[in-house]
Each structure stands twice: as C-alpha cells, then as structure tokens.
Amino acid sequence: MWFQLLLNTLSLGSFYALVALGFSLIFGVTHTFNLAHGELIVLSGYMAYGLSKAWQAPFALTLPLCMAAMACLGQVLLALVRRIREPFELSSLVFTFGLALVIQNAMLFLFTADYRRIPASGKPLRLTADLIVTRNQLWLIGLSLAATALVYLMLRKTFLGMALRAVIQEREAARLAGIRVERMNRIAFAVGGALIGLAGPLFGQNAYLHPAGGMEATLIAVVITLFAGTGRIRGLLAGAWLLALLESAAALWLGSNWRELVSAGILIALLMWKPEGLLARKKPAPEL
C-alpha cells in the first residue's frame, strides 16, 4: 500500500512540475503573471483529444503537434502582452484573467460542458502483488523528468541559458550588457508554450477535460513557482513532489475534499511569509 501511494505521489508530483515549468519560465523572463496558463493547458488537452478522436492519432504523435501549436500560440500571446501599459505586472494580471475567461467560454462553445478524457494507452504493469504502475504514470514521470532536465541544462550549460538567467535576475542590467531582451521574451514564450503543449495531452489523459478545469492547473503552477523561487528549476521539481505528498496525505487522512485546500493554504502562507520563494536565496543587503 505504501509503495503504491509513493508511486502515485511521484507521478502526480511529476505532472505538477510539468504544469509549473512553462509558467515559471515565462514569469521569470517576462514578468508576465499568466492567469490563463491553466486554460491554455486545457486547450492543448482538447487539441490532443480532437486529434485522437477525429484522426485516430496515437498519443505519442499528439505531443509534438500540441507543442508546436502552443509554441506558436505563445507568440500570439506575447504580441498581445506587448500592448500592455504600465504598471505592467498588475496590468498583465488583469489582462490574462480576462483572457482566461475568453478561452473558457470559447472552449465551452466549441466542446460543450461535457467531461472528456483521452483514453489510456496500454495495460497496467503489475510489478508486485501490491504495486501496479500504469502507462500513464510512466509517461508522466518520464516526460516530466526529461523536460525538467532539458530546461535546466539549457539554462545552466548554454549561452542562451546564461542570457535568459541574466534577464531573470535583472532585466535592465541585462539590456545594458547587450542582451536582446525582446528576443529573450520571444524565446521564453516559445519554450513556455511548448511546455504547455506537452502538459495538455498528459492532463487530458490523467484528468477529465472540461472548460473550467484550468483554474486548478493555474493554482498549482503559482504555488510551485512561489515555493521554488523564480528561475530555480530543480526547486520546481522538489516543490511539486512536496505538494503532491501533502495533497495525498490530506486526501488519505482527511478526505479527498481537502486536496484543493492544501494548495490554497500553501499559497496564502507563501504570500504572507515567503513571497520571494521558499528555496530562493536571500540577496545580500547593500552596504552603506
């Protein structure tokens, strides 16, 4: 029982990390607090669902198609965000909230309010008498770890990653150093959109798709990003697994209705006592 619980927690936390990865990258580079993040994930899930139903596309094929489509949609979103005036952070919050409502109603019109789900691929694998692993869990864990590792290596081991980290740390200083900040914004929205496109089909395979389902995904992304701190990719994975563990414990001991309350409680606590991120390093105080 305990090994099964740990496996379920690992797969759930891996999915949470994948949900938060695109949000964290876009927020860190561009300072766009995207409240439509969850709706874009659900939209990507609907796209994968349509491909699998209408054209009988295998699940593995829907992943690159959704990633490419959402990367392009990310550029459209960036073009809209560029028109936002100061104060940018507050205005982006209001704009993306309105965008989330527009996407919700568009999905409601196109797909109705019926719950839909992408069929699972393959039969579960019984490792022991008490331990069963599904193909969905293998997809979640494998793709989440691969995506996290690739983003981490890009940020830490490439010149592009150094430029992105410089923009994350201080935009104006990066601009003065000759870094093309607008180009970094385009790259962040493209990579973040591709990560959203990767998370969408997995969301549709492991949860029910419905137009209002993006709110929970946005909450998860915000909580994990605040937990890890901006630009801390490894912290995202640790925060996602911790959140999944706390939610699983709450569901086990208190009931499933307490799962969402755990996320909301962590968000409130972080905003009150550690808004810069629980794992973020403190900046040294300036010398007088």
Side-chain angles (χ1 to χ4, degrees):
M1 172 184 174
W2 292 108
F3 287 110
Q4 188 69 55
L5 179 62
L6 288 174
L7 177 62
N8 295 341
T9 299
L10 178 64
S11 63
L12 180 63
S14 300
F15 174 65
Y16 284 176
L18 193 57
V19 166
L21 198 54
F23 178 89
S24 178
L25 183 64
I26 291 175
F27 175 66
V29 175
T30 69
H31 293 180
T32 303
F33 201 92
N34 184 17
L35 289 182
H37 179 78
E39 278 68 26
L40 293 174
I41 289 178
V42 174
L43 181 61
S44 175
Y46 273 122
M47 190 181 304
Y49 177 84
L51 289 171
S52 64
K53 285 293 184 180
W55 288 284
Q56 303 299 316
F59 180 74
L61 181 60
T62 65
L63 296 174
L65 294 177
C66 290
M67 290 174 68
M70 299 309 291
C72 295
L73 187 58
Q75 298 305 300
V76 176
L77 179 58
L78 174 61
L80 296 174
V81 168
R82 280 177 174 169
R83 298 178 175 272
I84 296 176
R85 298 183 179 181
E86 296 294 337
F88 180 79
E89 286 79 5
L90 179 60
S91 298
S92 68
L93 195 70
V94 176
F95 170 76
T96 55
F97 176 72
L99 181 62
L101 296 179
V102 171
I103 296 174
Q104 277 187 27
N105 284 277
M107 291 189 295
L108 183 62
F109 175 77
L110 293 172
F111 306 108
T112 73
D114 295 340
Y115 283 65
R116 305 170 193 271
R117 192 166 185 172
I118 300 174
S121 55
K123 296 181 179 180
L125 304 175
R126 182 175 291 276
L127 302 181
T128 65
D130 300 323
L131 185 60
I132 299 175
V133 58
T134 65
R135 299 296 176 91
N136 292 6
Q137 290 175 322
L138 295 177
W139 277 110
L140 281 177
I141 297 172
L143 289 175
S144 176
L145 292 177
T148 303
L150 288 174
V151 173
Y152 177 80
L153 291 174
M154 180 191 72
L155 291 176
R156 295 289 173 177
K157 304 298 181 181
T158 65
F159 288 108
L160 172 61
M162 293 175 61
L164 286 170
R165 284 192 290 124
V167 175
I168 290 174
Q169 292 172 6
E170 184 56 56
R171 291 177 64 84
E172 292 307 317
R175 195 189 305 272
L176 292 174
I179 296 174
R180 297 171 63 182
V181 174
E182 289 302 320
R183 184 184 180 189
M184 296 301 107
N185 290 344
R186 289 195 298 271
I187 292 172
F189 267 92
V191 176
L195 292 169
I196 290 172
L198 180 61
L202 293 170
F203 183 90
Q205 196 176 58
N206 292 273
Y208 285 103
L209 292 168
H210 59 100
M215 185 181 300
E216 184 179 357
T218 301
L219 175 63
I220 290 167
V222 172
V223 169
I224 296 173
T225 300
L226 287 177
F227 175 88
T230 305
R232 295 182 62 84
I233 301 303
R234 289 181 298 181
L236 284 177
L237 199 56
W241 284 337
L242 178 60
L243 177 61
L245 180 62
L246 293 174
E247 285 190 354
S248 299
L252 179 64
W253 289 314
L254 301 175
S256 59
N257 293 332
W258 289 80
R259 283 185 64 251
E260 290 78 9
L261 187 62
V262 170
S263 302
I266 293 175
L267 176 61
I268 293 172
L270 287 171
L271 289 174
M272 290 180 64
W273 290 295
K274 199 71 173 176
E276 73 277 8
L278 194 63
L279 300 180
R281 297 187 182 95
K282 290 185 178 180
K283 295 182 180 180
E287 297 181 2
L288 299 177

